Amino acid sequence: MGCSECCLKCLSGIPYASLIATILLYAGVALFCGCGHEALSGTVTILQTYFDVVRSPVDALDVFTMIDILKYVIYGVAAAFFVYGILLMVEGFFTTGAIRDLYGDFKITTCGRCVSAWFIMLTYIFMLAWLGVTAFTSLPVFMYFNIWNICQNISRVDSSLESCFDLRQFGIVSIGEEKKLCTGSENFIKMCESNELDLTFHLFVCALAGAGAAVIAMVVAVSVLIHNNAILTSKNTGRYCTRF
């Protein structure tokens, strides 16, 4: 067999759909985790600098503690989906014609069918989880968009129509604390002129895009796994070869 025939044989055994899903998953998770982490750090800076919110001296569950928890969750998500992406590719490679050519046809066992079904269920749960993450990430995007939009049009806003952003409305501080920022205040003008607001807003937008990419990757992965499982357990053909 020549070199070109060997390369074509190797390329024919690549699970392209699984490969696309894995690349899209890695890209989405990397975008969400990286941009989300930096956006949370920017949020801390904005709260401390312009809203005069201070960290609680005691071990209380304030907004800064919650942000620290979210950062640790991001670390866990990055590690978990790095491993999951590898498993997804392994599952794809072991359901291609390349394995059949190397080891010959064999029957899938009951245990193998259970593992395949469990992997489908796990991927479906991950898809629902990423849908929730996408919805949750849209909340800070909406909040920052409102502030950013006012900053972009601050020269056109009537000075007599002053509006204020009260953090109590978003549950960031307790009801007893009055932490609000009005459009006519010096801190609001400084925040609009600084880079923190613009950068944090666009980082949250990128994090939202990353979560959306992860959702698409999960949809593709579920479709691929269901297709492969159907081929594996087919009673009509008895074959498991697929290039998905």
Side-chain angles (χ1 to χ4, degrees):
M1 183 180 296
C3 182
S4 60
E5 289 82 359
C6 183
C7 291
L8 290 175
K9 183 180 179 181
C10 291
L11 290 175
S12 65
I14 295 177
Y16 290 104
S18 297
L19 181 63
I20 292 172
T22 304
I23 293 175
L24 190 60
L25 176 65
Y26 278 158
V29 172
L31 195 61
F32 171 78
C33 292
C35 294
H37 183 276
E38 292 304 311
L40 290 174
S41 299
T43 300
V44 171
T45 303
I46 290 174
L47 291 175
Q48 290 178 334
T49 305
Y50 304 107
F51 285 89
D52 298 326
V53 181
V54 296
R55 186 182 291 269
S56 177
V58 296
D59 294 334
L61 189 61
D62 58 358
V63 61
F64 298 110
T65 304
M66 294 176 64
I67 287 177
D68 291 337
I69 293 174
L70 288 175
K71 286 183 178 180
Y72 284 115
V73 170
I74 285 176
Y75 300 149
V77 167
F81 278 91
F82 174 78
V83 176
Y84 173 78
I86 295 175
L87 295 177
L88 185 63
M89 278 304 301
V90 170
E91 171 78 9
F93 272 109
F94 272 87
T95 51
T96 59
I99 300 300
R100 185 200 52 167
D101 293 338
L102 288 174
Y103 300 107
D105 291 329
F106 61 89
K107 291 184 178 180
I108 183 171
T109 63
T110 303
C111 180
R113 285 193 293 269
C114 290
V115 170
S116 181
W118 177 83
F119 205 60
I120 293 172
M121 182 184 68
L122 182 64
T123 306
Y124 184 76
I125 293 173
F126 283 157
M127 182 188 69
L128 296 179
W130 276 109
L131 281 173
V133 170
T134 304
F136 179 77
T137 309
S138 65
L139 297 178
V141 171
F142 175 74
M143 184 180 68
Y144 272 105
F145 174 76
N146 289 332
I147 301 176
W148 178 81
N149 190 45
I150 292 177
C151 287
Q152 296 298 311
N153 301 282
I154 193 171
S155 59
R156 294 179 238 171
V157 175
D158 190 352
S159 58
S160 62
L161 301 176
E162 186 178 68
S163 60
C164 298
F165 296 94
D166 196 339
L167 296 182
R168 292 176 296 182
Q169 296 176 336
F170 304 100
I172 297 177
V173 296
S174 60
I175 299 297
E177 298 181 73
E178 185 176 354
K179 299 292 183 182
K180 60 182 180 180
L181 193 62
C182 298
T183 55
S185 64
E186 183 181 356
N187 276 352
F188 186 84
I189 296 174
K190 287 182 178 179
M191 181 179 66
C192 291
E193 293 176 348
S194 66
N195 293 325
E196 284 91 352
L197 178 64
D198 186 73
L199 180 61
T200 303
F201 167 60
H202 287 93
L203 283 172
F204 270 121
V205 172
C206 292
L208 179 61
V215 170
I216 297 174
M218 290 293 97
V219 172
V220 174
V222 167
S223 303
V224 169
L225 291 171
I226 292 175
H227 178 273
N228 289 346
N229 185 67
I231 297 297
L232 285 170
T233 57
S234 176
K235 294 181 180 180
N236 296 328
T237 61
R239 299 171 66 87
Y240 63 93
C241 175
T242 175
R243 291 190 174 89
F244 270 42

